[in-house]
Structures are given as structure tokens and as C-alpha cells.
Amino acid sequence: MRLEQLRYIIEIADTGSFTLASERLFIAQPSISQAVTALEKELNLTLFNRYRTGAVPTQIGLQVIAHAREVLKEVGEIEKLSASDYSQLTTTVTIGVIPSLSSVLLPRVISDYRRIFPNVSIRICEQGTEKTVKDCLKGEVNLGLIALHGKKHLDRENQLLFQSLFDGKLMAYVGAQSMLAGRKKITFKELLPFQLFLYGNDFALHRYCLEQISQYGTPNILSTTHNPESIKHFVMQTEAVGFGPDISLLGDIYVKTGAIFPLEITDASEIHFGVLTNRKRKPEIAVDALIKEILAQSAR
């Protein structure tokens, strides 16, 4: 019995497929199949029922997989003890992150983190919360930095763990030429007549704004984009309304110069910012350390 065989059966159980497991582990499917078959022969047990559509653990297979998770958990703790020189650790950590947290939080986090992990590459995927949730479930990102509007209801069959960072407010913002430029506060109902420039539909913010304004009529969507700077430039040159969390406007050069005017949306729910991980995937040393750095920095 080898550790990689235990990793294989856990991945197959999590994905429900030999093919998906091979893709995620970057190992040829025949190699995984042969390794699992060899393990079954060694144990004299059938761990999976194979079907055209995938693989399902047998009852005894579920018990073996549960023990395999515990074994790898303990191995991970031993690896932590042995990896005292983190400068020699080379890996890639992929983060799915909403733009506001990417610009406000990540620069100082990564700067401090790289002093301890100088050879760890960090891949940043700026995208919406909806996309990051899907990628986290599929194992395509190691962690996510997301925003939830209103209640925290991220369960997805108990696969996802959401660790709170801080809360914020939703703001609308307009350019100097807008008739709303002199306002400090506004409601969703009052925003109904105005053209809206929104983030793309894989952003939780997109869905939330539409849901709230749709209570009073059909929203007038001018355009959507994934680029917050594009929204700001467009708002400055038109009478459209943009949206974003308050942290994305703190210290903003356009706000300071009077090119953009923020308006608090008084009937908007609180925004909950946090770290998203997959409960079924134990973080590697580099990922675990990055999550701890993010939590520490957000508490300052």
C-alpha cells in the first residue's frame, strides 16, 4: 500500500470518476486505474463499483476511504514539521478573488507572505463570487476571496467552508455630470430610472442589484464588465450608475478628485467578505499559510 494509492481513491470518491480524478491529479487515467486495482487486490476488497457514468465507493470502500483521509491528514502534519525551510518550497497557489479584495487586500498579504515563501508562485484569477464557488467545488482554485450579500448561505452539501474577514456596505457611484452627484444616500427604488453599469453575471453583486431593483420595475442595464476600472471610467463620462463595495472606493483617486461621487444605498444588505475553501481538500502547507496570512491581515 502506497500513499499515492490513498490519494487516488480519495480523489475518485470526491469526483465520482476515474477520469476526473486523473485530470485533477495530472496523472494518466490508466495509471490511476492500475494503482487502484492493485490496491483492491492487495486488500482483497472491491473499493468502487464502476459504471459508464463514473465510480461509486462500495460500503467497505467508504470505510477504507475514511481511514485514508485520516492517514493523509497525519502525513500532512508530519510534512509541516519537516518543511521548516519554506524557502525551498516550490508550488503554485491559485486564488479566485473578486476585484475589490484583489486590489485592497492581496498586495500587502502577498508582500508579507513571500518573505517566508519566496519560491511559491501565486496565480490570481480576478472573477466573480459565483465563478469562484464553482471553481472551489471543482478544485480548480485552492481558495477563494469572495463577497456574500445578506445572509451567509454557502453550504453546497457541506463541501464549502467560509471564514469571515470583515463586513462592508454596498455603494452606488456616479460621475460629476449626473443629477445624483450632490446626493449622499439613495435607495434601490430611486435607482430604477437610471442606466446601470454592472459587473458581469458571475458576480454576486450583479444578481443582488438586479434582484433588489427588479422589485420596482425592469432595471435599465447599459452594459456589464469584469473590469472595475472600466465601470469607473464609463460612469465618469456618462450618466450611468455603477456599484461596488465601500472598500473599493476608500482612497480612490477618482473620489478624491471629485470625478466620482459615492452614494450609500440605505436599503442594501451588509456585504460579508471572506475566505472560501473546499472542506474535502486539506490545504497544502503553502495554501494553509496563505489563508492564515489573509486572516491576520484582515484583522488589522
Side-chain angles (χ1 to χ4, degrees), residues 230-282:
S230 295
I231 298 178
K232 290 176 183 177
H233 281 284
F234 207 96
V235 163
M236 286 188 286
Q237 298 174 57
T238 68
E239 294 190 8
V241 179
F243 298 86
D246 52 357
I247 60 167
S248 67
L249 298 173
L250 291 175
D252 186 275
I253 185 64
Y254 304 124
V255 175
K256 287 182 177 180
T257 58
I260 282 180
F261 292 82
L263 297 85
E264 179 185 348
I265 305 176
T266 57
D267 52 345
S269 299
E270 205 167 34
I271 305 174
H272 308 290
F273 298 97
V275 181
L276 186 71
T277 51
N278 190 322
R279 291 180 188 272
K280 292 189 175 182
R281 297 179 178 276
K282 182 174 176 60

Side-chain angles (χ1 to χ4, degrees), residues 2 4-5 8 30-40:
R2 304 188 305 275
E4 61 264 28
Q5 290 174 308
Y8 296 166
S31 298
I32 286 186
S33 296
Q34 291 168 11
V36 173
T37 300
L39 179 60
E40 288 178 319

Side-chain angles (χ1 to χ4, degrees), residues 47-63:
L47 301 177
F48 294 96
N49 290 319
R50 279 87 158 166
Y51 304 99
R52 281 189 175 183
T53 54
V56 178
T58 61
Q59 281 300 116
I60 191 66
L62 288 172
Q63 296 179 47

Side-chain angles (χ1 to χ4, degrees), residues 112-127:
D112 289 349
Y113 177 81
R114 287 298 295 272
R115 293 193 185 102
I116 303 172
F117 296 87
N119 292 310
V120 171
S121 298
I122 299 177
R123 179 171 173 258
I124 299 172
C125 302
E126 285 199 357
Q127 56 193 32

Side-chain angles (χ1 to χ4, degrees), residues 105-277:
L105 181 60
L106 281 186
R108 66 177 188 267
V109 166
I110 293 175
S111 177
D112 289 349
Y113 177 81
R114 287 298 295 272
R115 293 193 185 102
I116 303 172
F117 296 87
N119 292 310
V120 171
S121 298
I122 299 177
R123 179 171 173 258
I124 299 172
C125 302
E126 285 199 357
Q127 56 193 32
T129 291
E130 300 295 328
K131 177 72 162 59
T132 296
V133 169
K134 293 176 183 176
D135 287 351
C136 198
L137 285 168
K138 294 188 291 185
E140 294 180 0
V141 297
N142 297 106
L143 64 120
L145 293 175
I146 65 170
L148 301 177
H149 296 264
K151 294 181 180 179
K152 304 173 187 177
H153 52 278
L154 265 178
D155 190 338
R156 304 294 172 94
E157 298 180 359
N158 202 34
Q159 275 192 257
L160 298 174
L161 173 65
F162 179 82
Q163 299 179 76
S164 294
L165 295 175
F166 49 83
D167 296 331
K169 296 179 180 179
L170 177 61
M171 308 290 286
Y173 56 88
V174 297
Q177 75 281 12
S178 171
M179 62 185 295
L180 299 173
R183 299 275 299 269
K184 296 294 184 183
K185 298 182 179 181
I186 200 165
T187 64
F188 282 117
K189 185 176 182 179
E190 291 175 298
L191 288 168
L192 180 63
F194 296 91
Q195 290 184 319
L196 312 177
F197 203 118
L198 299 173
Y199 282 99
N201 57 13
D202 68 322
F203 285 77
L205 177 60
H206 176 102
R207 186 185 67 251
Y208 178 73
C209 288
L210 291 187
E211 286 175 351
Q212 300 307 309
I213 296 174
S214 294
Q215 298 178 70
Y216 309 104
T218 303
N220 183 1
I221 303 175
L222 180 62
S223 189
T224 62
T225 181
H226 283 46
N227 189 334
E229 288 302 306
S230 295
I231 298 178
K232 290 176 183 177
H233 281 284
F234 207 96
V235 163
M236 286 188 286
Q237 298 174 57
T238 68
E239 294 190 8
V241 179
F243 298 86
D246 52 357
I247 60 167
S248 67
L249 298 173
L250 291 175
D252 186 275
I253 185 64
Y254 304 124
V255 175
K256 287 182 177 180
T257 58
I260 282 180
F261 292 82
L263 297 85
E264 179 185 348
I265 305 176
T266 57
D267 52 345
S269 299
E270 205 167 34
I271 305 174
H272 308 290
F273 298 97
V275 181
L276 186 71
T277 51

